[in-house]
């Protein structure tokens, strides 16, 4: 059964969202929600001005009708394992007088990362050769931290961020499977998915790049006002709801009625 799709991205140079629902090739009773999502830095021309717009953090929200999410199928789930192993970084230096034979033994076996033998040597009453040796032992353990640019959070939402906390400027989903879908009990006649990309105004960066009228007079307050007006305009181009500081950039829907 083919799904009808409708993608609304008025400023696709900034946020471009598309989706489709396809039959799961491994289980024909289920479906897959496939998504393409790009968020980029861009310039917007308004009258004689050029405004630079970027987003630092966005949210992808999903609403379903006639579907439930297949268990353990969500994209970007940061699942905490039942056992956690922590690794530490340590560096230890050791300086001591050791027998020459022991020092050589340690260096060969790799127990000491560096062994610098001093020049002083002497003989004990047992006539055993010893060197005043300086042994430096270093041990380094590195820990690995996983980062999810598209991270599943509560309420059928995904948080989109950059690993370096920079503004978003890449394709985050390339027709990836966002989740698996299974029909609700009773086989409903209508099945639909709706995806929305939005961001808080405070997570947007807006600046005047060039303005024939204001280039010499634009200050932080004027840029803030321009940012509010731009955010409000972008929101109203997609949503009929009142603007409340959250900008809806794109909506993608897929539905089927049997």
């Amino acid at each position: 059964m083919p799904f009808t799709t409708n993608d609304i991205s008025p400023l696709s140079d900034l946020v471009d969202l598309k989706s489709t629902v396809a039959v799961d090739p491994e289980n024909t009773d289920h479906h897959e929600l496939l998504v393409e999502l790009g968020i980029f830095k861009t310039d917007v021309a308004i009258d004689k001005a050029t405004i630079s717009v970027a987003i630092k953090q966005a949210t992808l929200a999903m609403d379903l009708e006639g579907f439930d999410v297949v268990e353990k199928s969500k994209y970007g789930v940061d699942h905490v394992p039942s056992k956690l192993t922590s690794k530490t970084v340590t560096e230890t230096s050791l300086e001591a007088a050791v027998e020459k034979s022991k020092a050589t033994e340690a260096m060969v076996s790799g127990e000491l990362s560096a062994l610098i033998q001093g020049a002083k040597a002497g003989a004990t009453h047992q006539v055993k050769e010893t060197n005043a040796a300086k042994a430096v032992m270093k041990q380094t353990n590195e820990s690995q931290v996983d980062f999810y640019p598209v991270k599943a959070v509560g309420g059928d939402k995904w948080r989109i961020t950059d690993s370096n906390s920079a503004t978003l400027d890449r394709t985050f989903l390339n027709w990836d499977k966002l989740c698996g879908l299974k029909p609700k009990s009773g086989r409903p006649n209508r099945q639909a998915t709706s995806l929305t990309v939005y961001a808080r105004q405070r997570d947007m960066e807006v600046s005047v790049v060039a303005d024939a009228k204001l280039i010499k007079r634009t200050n932080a307050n004027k840029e803030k006002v321009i940012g509010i007006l731009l955010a409000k305009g972008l929101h109203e181009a997609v949503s009929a709801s009142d603007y409340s500081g959250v900008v809806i950039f794109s909506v993608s829907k897929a539905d089927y009625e049997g």
Side-chain angles (χ1 to χ4, degrees):
M1 56 180 186
F3 278 72
T4 302
T5 59
N6 183 22
D7 305 318
I8 305 172
S9 296
L11 192 58
S12 57
D13 287 348
L14 180 63
V15 178
D16 192 15
L17 173 66
K18 298 182 181 72
S19 68
T20 189
V21 176
V23 175
D24 187 337
E26 297 181 0
N27 184 345
T28 55
D29 290 332
H30 292 174
H31 287 78
E32 297 177 328
L33 179 55
L34 307 177
V35 180
E36 181 185 49
L37 172 61
I39 303 177
F40 311 100
K41 301 176 184 176
T42 191
D43 291 341
V44 180
I46 301 177
D47 194 10
K48 295 182 179 181
T50 301
I51 314 297
S52 174
V53 185
I55 302 170
K56 293 180 288 185
Q57 177 178 305
T59 299
L60 174 64
M62 176 179 70
D63 288 311
L64 301 176
E65 182 180 347
F67 280 124
D68 285 323
V69 176
V70 175
E71 294 81 0
K72 298 182 179 181
S73 69
K74 280 189 176 181
Y75 183 93
V77 174
D78 187 4
H79 176 239
V80 178
S82 58
K83 177 183 177 181
L84 291 175
T85 302
S86 61
K87 295 182 179 180
T88 58
V89 177
T90 59
E91 184 174 304
T92 305
S93 296
L94 175 66
E95 184 173 343
V98 295
E99 293 180 12
K100 183 177 180 180
S101 60
K102 295 295 184 183
T104 304
E105 211 175 276
M107 188 168 63
V108 171
S109 66
E111 294 177 6
L112 301 180
S113 61
L115 183 63
I116 305 173
Q117 295 188 3
K120 295 181 181 180
T124 65
H125 63 281
Q126 297 177 341
V127 199
K128 179 184 291 187
E129 182 184 1
T130 62
N131 281 1
K134 180 180 180 181
V136 179
M137 179 174 61
K138 292 184 179 180
Q139 177 182 354
T140 302
N141 295 322
E142 296 182 356
S143 60
Q144 178 178 317
V145 178
D146 295 324
F147 178 78
Y148 293 80
V150 181
K151 181 178 179 179
V153 294
D156 287 341
K157 294 181 177 66
W158 287 260
R159 183 183 302 122
I160 304 160
T161 54
D162 182 85
S163 58
N164 297 316
S165 300
T167 52
L168 309 178
D169 191 26
R170 62 178 60 187
T171 296
F172 289 89
L173 295 170
N174 188 23
W175 293 110
D176 293 299
K177 176 181 173 181
L178 191 66
C179 67
L181 303 172
K182 61 182 181 180
K184 284 186 173 293
S185 58
R187 295 283 177 177
N189 292 329
R190 175 176 165 79
Q191 294 175 315
T193 65
S194 178
L195 296 173
T196 304
V197 175
Y198 63 85
R200 298 171 298 183
Q201 182 190 310
R202 65 185 182 186
D203 288 327
M204 295 175 60
E205 289 187 358
V206 178
S207 60
V208 178
V209 177
D211 191 325
K213 298 177 181 178
L214 300 176
I215 188 63
K216 295 181 180 179
R217 295 175 291 156
T218 301
N219 55 35
N221 288 334
K222 287 180 180 177
E223 286 195 344
K224 184 177 181 180
V225 171
I226 291 171
I228 294 172
L229 294 175
L230 180 63
K232 189 173 184 291
L234 290 170
H235 173 81
E236 291 176 348
V238 178
S239 176
S241 62
D242 293 336
Y243 177 66
S244 60
V246 175
V247 185
I248 296 177
F249 295 99
S250 297
V251 174
S252 180
K253 298 182 178 181
D255 65 272
Y256 168 83
E257 286 197 41

